[in-house]
Amino acid sequence: LAGPPSPPGQDPRGWRAAVDCVRANELCAAEPSCSSRYRTLRQCLAGRDRNTMLANKECQAALEVLQESPLYDCRCKRGMKKELQCLQIYWSIHLGLTEGEEFYEASPYEPVTSRLSDIFRLASIFSGMDPATNSKSNHCLDAAKACNLNDNCKRLRSGYISTCSKEVSATEHCSRRKCHKALRQFFDRVPSEYTYRLLFCSCKDQACAERRRQTIVPSCSYEEKEKPNCLDLRNTCRTDHLCRSRLADFHTNCQASFQSLTSCPGDNYQACLGSYAGLIGFDMTPNYVNASTTSITISPWCSCKGSGNMEEECEKFLRDFTENPCLRNAIQAFGNGTDVNLSP
Amino acid sequence: AAAFGLYFPRKEYSENVYIDQPAGTPLLRIHTLRDSHGEVAHFHLCQNLIISRARSHENHWFQIREKTGLLYLSKSLDREDFNMLSVGNWMPLSKVMLYVFLSSHPFQEKECDSATRTTVVLSLMNATAPACSSLTARQLCFTEMDLSFHIKENKPPGTFHQLQLPSVHHLCQNLSISYDLLAAEGMPFRYNENTTGVSVTQRLDREERERYELIAKCTVREGFREMQVEVPFLVNVLDEDDSPPFLPNGTDTAEAVVEFNRKEGTVLATLTVYDADTTPIYPLESSRKKYTGSIITDDPWISETFRVEHIFDEIHFSPNGSQVRGTQHEYKLVLNKSISVTEHRSFQLDVLVNDTEFPGPERSVMLHFNVSILPVSIQFPNMTYQFTVNRNAERFAQIGKICIENCMKFRGVNISYKLLSPNVSCYPVSILQGREGKWGSLYVNDSSVLRRPECKEIQYTIQATDKQSRKHTKTLLTIVLEGTLLKKEEDCPDSCAVSKHRAECEECGGLGVLTGRCQWRQGSGKGITTNYSTCTPSIKTCPDGTCDVIESKDPAVCPQDCTSGNIIGGHGKGTGNLGIKSGHGICYCFPRQNCYCEKDDIKEQLCDEMCKTVI
């Protein structure tokens, strides 16, 4: 089992404290040798894979010099200022260093150190009751009420709901692009003690589960006429820096592992739920597939039909959503108001 | 086909590495399968260990036996090595990756770009190797990775996996660990007890069966204790293009008739072709290139006017009880441009479907479309139109529709209607083009003419013209004015929609009324409903959920269908955010401003029983 989360600023494994890539880029630009090597490397990486790049002496030299620069270990923060710019810098170095298409990519985001219990503490302050106590209530309805009592949450929630249910024309029943943007704003700018309660509330009856499924206005943000193939959808997502980063973050924090009690990396539920919520509003938007109260099934809007010889890979990708013990445990733990007890 | 066909039956292998494991410790064994008899596999590692995306390190520790594929430690990893390799890994578990390459001839120096490679993921365990007694049976028997393999169809048999874990076998020599493979009767796999190797015993055919589910069983004996572990063992059969296209029930001909629907993009006919092979929809473009459908013609008019659209979908065959994926290709004959109403011809159009990767003469199928393009005539039904108009009608009152024969069936034919003005001064009506250019709508354009006594019966000529071919036709239209003039009410608004109550609604006129008075629509009054109460110039056309051409001429005619402003109260908006689709109670509007939907206050009885008796 992993140890307790270390305080920020001091890293648990002995690597340099991470600088964000925007800052790292500024530091590099101020230093002539670094900035010229960075330019060289970017030219080297343009449209080439790692092996052809490393075959070139000049490129190799640039890479070696940059290994010592802050650009090399830089990361980004979710919802930071200039997040997109930060991710562009990150991928400008990392994209060319892939060995072809990897199944799992490492997250460009800083590791999450906060815990679910922190959220519960906050949540119980404003709700005035422990979420686990009252068994007769509809948690999803309570979550909506709690959101409406907070100006910021109410504003952004009604913002995305009206955007996502606004009909554009007889043929186009809503603007998916605007709806996704509004959803991203909601999940980026509203504190997670509100957003998680809406997304991951636990349900005992169908009406509640249907409300939970409807949280992200799936008719606009999730469902489409056709279900694309999951690998195709993944490819579409990977052409976009933000979507690619959020997907890599999901894979990093929700990848089921046998090494831990909870099946989650580092037993961190909070990190997995956060990266799940971070996918909402992109091509890879996940949602509950039905209003079942007994089993929670999550999936992006895609299927493995038509995978040809890649069916194994496609199903593996889809299972990380539909049959993921880490994600399932994390959602249930949030719904029950329990977190992993970490021995101090 | 590739230059050589050796391939790995797995995409990825994994194993744990511990601190200070001695040099010579075997880690895992990698197998390959052959494409043709006589191929010999040579394994080879590349120079670098991949630590994370951006970091790699020269490999000093791992080597692979070129002939057998056994990966082993050539140098012990001490704590310092571990710390160095863990840098940049921010996952709870440090991992390094190695690529194993494959060739059918002995490796030359630095050959690291062979396409055939597999990945080995080594988890760096931050501890010395555990004692055998501390390992669970599951850990002694199998790695964490699923036992899932892929074998190409139509390839020679061979051994593709070894159940025994070399690292455990090396570490725990005094434990007895034996394996077995549980397979249903007749499965083409064999387990060799001496080597713990699993081999495929015959060429597989994906079109017969594409998935085999077996169970690997492991028994650990320690003195008198015996533990058993069972895990699924899956084999997927990979497809290659070894089936030609075929036609369901031999249907290779379809009729394609072009008559009223002449619009670009119309699907005229569809023919289906089946193939027992799979066709991946990802990546789409390569599959499109692989399976082609092209019109065979040297007539430029045909190739300009028609195109073939190809869509394909996965279907399932059941050859012998097991489900096998196949493909259904649909070839649709589509109009590439709108066809003129005068066009008249018929011919056979041939489409050649080609499964380009199938090795054999049956790779193509010819599809035939019997195309008949019929002309359509632009003519009015053989009668003259006659409409009566009430003298009290207001501007924008809708009188009726003008439509040539079959006009509602037309698609892609644009008809314009025109009134040829009569040689009289009475000229109250105009015509507007309905949506989609199918019909014309007659409406009152100048209501003052209706009030003039000398105008009684007016004769017009209507002309309908097809925009594309300029063909036109004419007919007569008679407008009869009737009714006696009503006195205009004072201080009535010019829009019916402003009225909130039935009484004021029915005693006023407004834009668009037919008989001088607005009409009241009484709704059902159940919550927010499409059937809300409202005041309208004509119940037939407003509100009907569409903002038609005449209503859109002036926002005062029917804001219930056309408003784009705010609606206050319980409501649902109409299509394109125009109009009030549903409302609560009574909906009324101030044109160019807001609309309101509200429940009318319940009128109390002026005097109840009690009060009457008192009086």
Side-chain angles (χ1 to χ4, degrees), chain A residues 3-5 113-119 266-270 339-340 342:
Chain A
T113 50
S114 58
R115 291 276 162 182
L116 275 189
S117 20
D118 306 339
I119 293 188
D267 288 313
N268 192 339
Y269 284 151
Q270 158 73 19
D339 196 359
V340 195
L342 292 160

Side-chain angles (χ1 to χ4, degrees), chain A residues 155-167 174 182 217:
Chain A
R155 190 172 50 84
L156 288 164
R157 179 166 174 258
S158 47
Y160 83 72
I161 288 174
S162 67
T163 308
C164 297
S165 22
K166 202 180 207 153
E167 197 175 59
C174 73
V217 197

Side-chain angles (χ1 to χ4, degrees), chain A residues 20-66:
Chain A
D20 78 62
C21 299
V22 178
R23 180 84 192 105
N25 192 30
E26 287 165 3
L27 291 171
C28 180
E31 207 183 303
S33 79
C34 179
S35 64
S36 73
R37 294 292 155 75
Y38 180 39
R39 262 200 310 278
T40 309
L41 184 72
R42 280 170 59 167
Q43 279 161 356
C44 288
L45 293 172
R48 275 183 278 184
D49 68 35
R50 191 190 180 105
N51 290 332
T52 29
M53 190 201 92
L54 290 178
N56 179 325
K57 283 268 185 296
E58 207 179 328
C59 295
Q60 217 173 340
L63 192 65
E64 273 162 22
V65 170
L66 284 180

Side-chain angles (χ1 to χ4, degrees), chain B residues 466-502:
Chain B
D466 166 43
K467 279 192 180 151
Q468 200 184 356
S469 65
R470 312 302 312 151
K471 285 188 77 129
H472 58 265
T473 176
K474 290 178 183 162
T475 190
L476 284 178
L477 160 72
T478 314
I479 299 281
V480 180
L481 301 187
E482 61 161 27
T484 49
L485 279 176
L486 298 166
K487 202 165 76 56
K488 268 228 163 178
E489 285 290 330
E490 291 295 309
D491 44 82
C492 270
D494 66 352
S495 170
C496 293
V498 173
S499 300
K500 256 169 92 166
H501 301 291
R502 186 171 199 139

